[in-house]
Every structure is written in C-alpha cells, then in structure tokens.
Amino acid sequence: MSVGKHIRDPIYGYVKVEASDLNLVDSPLFQRLRYIRQNGLAYLVFPSATHSRFEHSLGAHHVAKLMLEKLRKNGFVNDDQLNEISRLALVHDIGHLPFSHTFEHSLKFLQYIDERMYRDFIGNQVNAKFHELIGVNVLRNCVGEEGLAKLMEEIYVKKEASKQLVKAVISSTLDADRLDYLQRDSYYFGVKYGEISLDRIIEVMEIDRNGNYVFRTKGRDDLEHLLMARYHMYSAVYNHPVKGIFDTALAYTLANMIEDQTIPVEGVKDCEKFFNLTDDYVLSKLREKKDQDGIYKNFYDILLKRKKYKKFILEDTHADTFASTMENKEEEEKLYNFIITLKGNLLVYIADVDMPIDKVKLSIGNGEINLSNTNASKYVNVPSLRRRIIIGYTKDDYFNDFEKKFLKK
C-alpha cells in the first residue's frame, strides 16, 4: 500500500503528497508547471528568482493542509472536505500560461492591437482571471478531474457565496497561496521582506464559518507583521521598476505573438498544444524571429540580451494624477495606441501597493473588530496606498512626445 511521498522543499523541509494525490502531481499538465516561472522576468533583476509554479503549488498544498487541519479540529471541515480543498490548493495554478501573470497583462495590449483576436482568445467569460478560466478547462477536459474543475469554477469563476470557508483557505486575503509565495519568493529573491513565522500565524489565526480571519489580541503583532511583509514585498520586489518594465516589454511581445498566431488561439483550448505552452516555447519563438524586421528583433535584444530601457518615475501626487487620468477610457485608449504606434519603444508600468484587510478581524475582549469596516489604523499599522508610474523608453524623443501628450504641467 502506497503511503505517498515526501518531497524535499527549501522552505518547509519536506512537503508530503498523499498517495491519492500522486496521480495529479505526476500528470503531464501538472509537471508542465516546472517550466512556468513564478515571477515572469524577475530573474533579470534578481538572478536567483528562477523558481517555478511547480514548487509553489506543492507549497500552497502544504500550507492549505496546515490551515485545514486546524479547521478540522474545530469541527468546520471533515476529512473528505480537507482532502478536496487541499487538492484544489495543489492544482490552483494549473492554468497558468507562459511567464505566469505577465501573460495575463499581455491581454490588455492585445485588446488594443486586435479587438477581434482578443475576443477569440479570451472568449466571453471576463469575471475571473484568465489562468483560472483555463485551469477549469484543463482540469475538466485534459486531466479528467470533474470534481476539482467544478470546485475551482465555484470558487474562482462563479464566486459562490456558500463557499466562503473554502475561499478563506484557497483564494482570499491571507490564503495558503499568499502564505507560501511570500516565504518562497523572499527565499529565492534573496530578500528578507517576506519572511514570516508560518507556525505562529497558524497558531494565532482562526478562520470562522463565514471565512473571516480572526486574530486574538496576542496575535496582533503577527497579523501586522504579515500584512507589512506583503506590503514591502510588493513595494521593493514585485513592483521593482526595472522588473516592471521588463515584464511589460514581455507582455507587449506576447500580445504580438498572439496577434500573429505565433501563440495560436487553440493553444489554450487544445490539451496537447497547451502542454507545450511554456516559458521556453516563447523564448525559442523569439529566437526564431530575431532576424525579422519589426518588433521581434528589438525585443530579442531587450528580453534575451537584457538591453535596458531608460526610465522616468512618477511618484506621489504626480503618479496619482496620471493614474486618475487613465481611469478615463478615452485617455487609456490614447495611451495604448501611442505605445502601439511606437512599437513598444516606450512602455508604462503602474505600480500600486496597498494593504488589503478584507475579511480580517481582531478579537478584543468579548468582541470582534472587523478591520475592513472601521478605521483599521486605530488597531494595526496600515500604510496608505503607495503608487509609482514607471515610464521606460529607448530614445529621448519618445519620452518627450509622451510628456507632451500625457503629463499635465
């Protein structure tokens, strides 16, 4: 009788995969996650950040089981529910496309490059992230896991209110996904910002039947540290200006690859073709096209030879003014058309950092304070929104033209 496997992990020592889950881990489309980097082109700035969605998925599975075990002891879930939800944590990223979230950012460019192609590519469903929609399809039609596909659809696509307890573990403010990637990314990026004490968090955090995270008074500092860890990881690492511009350059390149069918529409629907859609696929296609005239020659140098953009950064009120202007659909369209006209030789990356505290409660005395419905800074330190706009450009003339058109004096 198989007893599962223990897989060596740099964060937790060992991650256990139950025998009943090995078929998922060994399936080709889960193994494909080894070739999808967790953080796009972050390795061009942080050289060791080459880790993949594969090890993150195992880590999220491990953390979910720790959270669910506590819920089981409190009588909120039974053994069958524990197994089902932890399996969903295992496959929650199975629908990610090359370079993870950077691929989804490319769809915004595609919308302005070719609206019809955009609609053909994403279909009619727009109330979920693209990789979540793809994940449902992969589980249902490629892996043969109808039960998991249904649960993923209920959580991520339909957002069913009756699944709040599951969402708290899988897709919420302090879920297993975030608790793993903060630690894992901190380790691989070589920074200290995301280091948290997971065992302490699990100890002082309760999840109630409505999916709220409840911290007792003795856990207030732990809650604050966790929120600040997330805040500073986004500010210093995920939204690093150079990383942001490289990822935006990649997103623009991917949009053009979809438009000219280098990345075919059926590639996200056909199981065999989806299996081959990896980071290496994109980079190999870029190498193939490097001698062609047009954008690919330029972006071959940018993405594979690390040819950096010049950059200009807007902060504070200047960034707020620009961002608020871009909330106007006509202004946004004007900006994207300007970028497309310049063939990506000028790009704009909006780096917003805030501290979400929805569904987080603090238990004080005989009552509970819902931090999302009150002045949270009275109880925990909550920094305000930090916003930066990074403009990357290859020639001064491009920036001067951008400044005249989009930066108000």
Side-chain angles (χ1 to χ4, degrees):
M1 179 178 177
S2 178
V3 293
K5 286 186 178 179
H6 287 83
I7 301 172
R8 191 71 183 168
D9 184 82
I11 310 301
Y12 310 115
Y14 281 103
V15 169
K16 183 178 181 182
V17 178
E18 303 293 343
S20 57
D21 295 330
L22 288 176
N23 63 318
L24 274 176
V25 173
D26 290 338
S27 66
L29 288 171
F30 189 87
Q31 290 292 315
R32 169 187 169 275
L33 295 177
R34 292 180 184 271
Y35 312 107
I36 306 293
R37 286 189 175 91
Q38 175 80 2
N39 288 283
L41 292 174
Y43 62 88
L44 293 181
V45 180
F46 302 90
S48 59
T50 56
H51 54 303
S52 73
R53 290 277 156 181
F54 181 85
E55 55 261 43
H56 163 62
S57 296
L58 293 175
H61 177 60
H62 173 77
V63 176
K65 285 196 291 186
L66 295 177
M67 298 171 73
L68 287 161
E69 182 60 32
K70 189 169 183 180
L71 288 173
R72 187 188 66 79
K73 288 179 180 178
N74 290 338
F76 290 174
V77 298
N78 58 36
D79 289 345
D80 289 340
Q81 290 169 321
L82 186 153
N83 292 331
E84 181 185 45
I85 299 168
S86 66
R87 292 183 92 223
L88 181 59
L90 181 65
V91 298
H92 77 285
D93 275 347
I94 201 167
H96 263 298
L97 284 124
F99 295 99
S100 297
H101 291 292
T102 305
F103 195 99
E104 292 178 85
H105 296 160
S106 74
L107 299 179
K108 190 70 174 180
F109 284 116
L110 180 63
Q111 186 176 4
Y112 285 99
I113 291 171
D114 189 328
E115 174 71 21
R116 188 180 67 176
M117 181 65 72
Y118 169 76
R119 289 296 167 192
D120 287 346
F121 199 79
I122 71 164
N124 296 321
Q125 187 64 264
V126 294
N127 63 333
K129 294 176 182 177
F130 191 58
H131 78 272
E132 295 165 354
L133 298 170
I134 299 301
V136 172
N137 177 68
V138 168
L139 289 172
R140 177 169 286 142
N141 298 314
C142 304
V143 183
E145 288 281 352
E146 175 58 34
L148 276 180
K150 183 174 181 291
L151 184 58
M152 178 177 274
E153 190 172 41
E154 290 171 345
I155 298 300
Y156 294 103
V157 182
K158 296 180 179 178
K159 306 183 192 304
E160 293 190 1
S162 62
K163 299 294 184 179
Q164 292 304 312
L165 196 61
V166 183
K167 281 179 63 64
V169 177
I170 300 297
S171 178
S172 197
T173 309
L174 305 179
D175 60 14
D177 178 22
R178 287 161 178 77
L179 291 177
D180 178 76
Y181 76 58
L182 285 177
Q183 300 174 86
R184 191 168 303 279
D185 291 348
S186 185
Y187 175 87
Y188 282 104
F189 277 91
V191 300
K192 302 293 186 182
Y193 301 113
E195 292 184 353
I196 60 173
S197 176
L198 180 64
D199 56 350
R200 175 67 178 176
I201 293 294
I202 298 295
E203 169 63 25
V204 300
M205 181 178 74
E206 303 288 344
I207 301 176
D208 66 22
R209 291 186 183 276
N210 295 316
N212 296 299
Y213 304 97
V214 184
F215 286 79
R216 299 186 296 277
T217 304
K218 71 175 184 178
R220 187 191 308 215
D221 291 326
D222 304 287
L223 166 62
E224 195 170 71
H225 176 77
L226 173 56
L227 294 173
M228 292 298 291
R230 181 189 186 279
Y231 185 86
H232 287 303
M233 279 295 286
Y234 273 88
S235 180
V237 178
Y238 301 136
N239 286 340
H240 186 285
V242 178
K243 173 188 175 297
I245 289 298
F246 274 129
D247 280 338
T248 307
L250 174 60
Y252 183 78
T253 306
L254 288 166
N256 281 273
M257 285 184 166
I258 298 169
E259 192 273 335
D260 68 13
Q261 286 293 277
T262 300
I263 298 175
V265 170
E266 62 269 20
V268 300
K269 301 172 184 176
D270 179 272
C271 298
E272 188 61 36
K273 290 179 179 177
F274 180 77
F275 173 76
N276 291 316
L277 278 181
T278 63
D279 294 5
D280 289 342
Y281 175 90
V282 171
L283 296 179
S284 68
K285 290 298 180 182
L286 193 56
R287 289 187 179 95
E288 288 176 13
K289 292 174 173 288
K290 67 180 172 58
D291 295 325
Q292 297 179 8
D293 291 333
I295 72 156
Y296 292 120
K297 180 174 175 28
N298 186 33
F299 282 97
Y300 172 81
D301 290 340
I302 290 168
L303 300 175
L304 289 174
K305 294 184 177 179
R306 203 180 182 276
K307 173 186 168 185
K308 290 196 295 184
Y309 284 75
K310 299 179 181 181
K311 64 179 183 294
F312 183 86
I313 299 176
L314 297 173
E315 297 187 89
D316 302 321
T317 57
H318 299 292
D320 291 337
T321 299
F322 180 84
S324 62
T325 300
M326 288 303 117
E327 291 173 3
N328 182 300
K329 188 67 176 176
E330 291 182 1
E331 289 295 320
E332 179 188 85
E333 183 176 0
K334 190 166 101 176
L335 174 64
Y336 274 89
N337 287 335
F338 178 78
I339 290 170
I340 292 165
T341 299
L342 293 182
K343 298 181 178 180
N345 281 294
L346 182 142
L347 294 167
V348 177
Y349 177 68
I350 299 179
D352 284 354
V353 185
D354 60 5
M355 184 189 288
I357 51 172
D358 52 299
K359 299 191 76 70
V360 179
K361 293 184 174 182
L362 193 62
S363 178
I364 299 178
N366 295 322
E368 292 180 348
I369 305 297
N370 187 335
L371 296 181
S372 61
N373 293 338
T374 187
N375 180 12
S377 59
K378 180 179 178 181
Y379 303 96
V380 293
N381 286 320
V382 182
S384 58
L385 172 69
R386 179 178 294 173
R387 171 174 284 154
R388 287 182 296 179
I389 312 294
I390 298 99
I391 300 101
Y393 55 98
T394 58
K395 294 181 180 179
D396 292 341
D397 287 347
Y398 297 146
F399 177 76
N400 293 336
D401 197 10
F402 169 83
E403 187 176 32
K404 291 174 186 176
K405 285 180 168 66
F406 299 100
L407 298 186
K408 299 184 183 300
K409 298 295 184 183

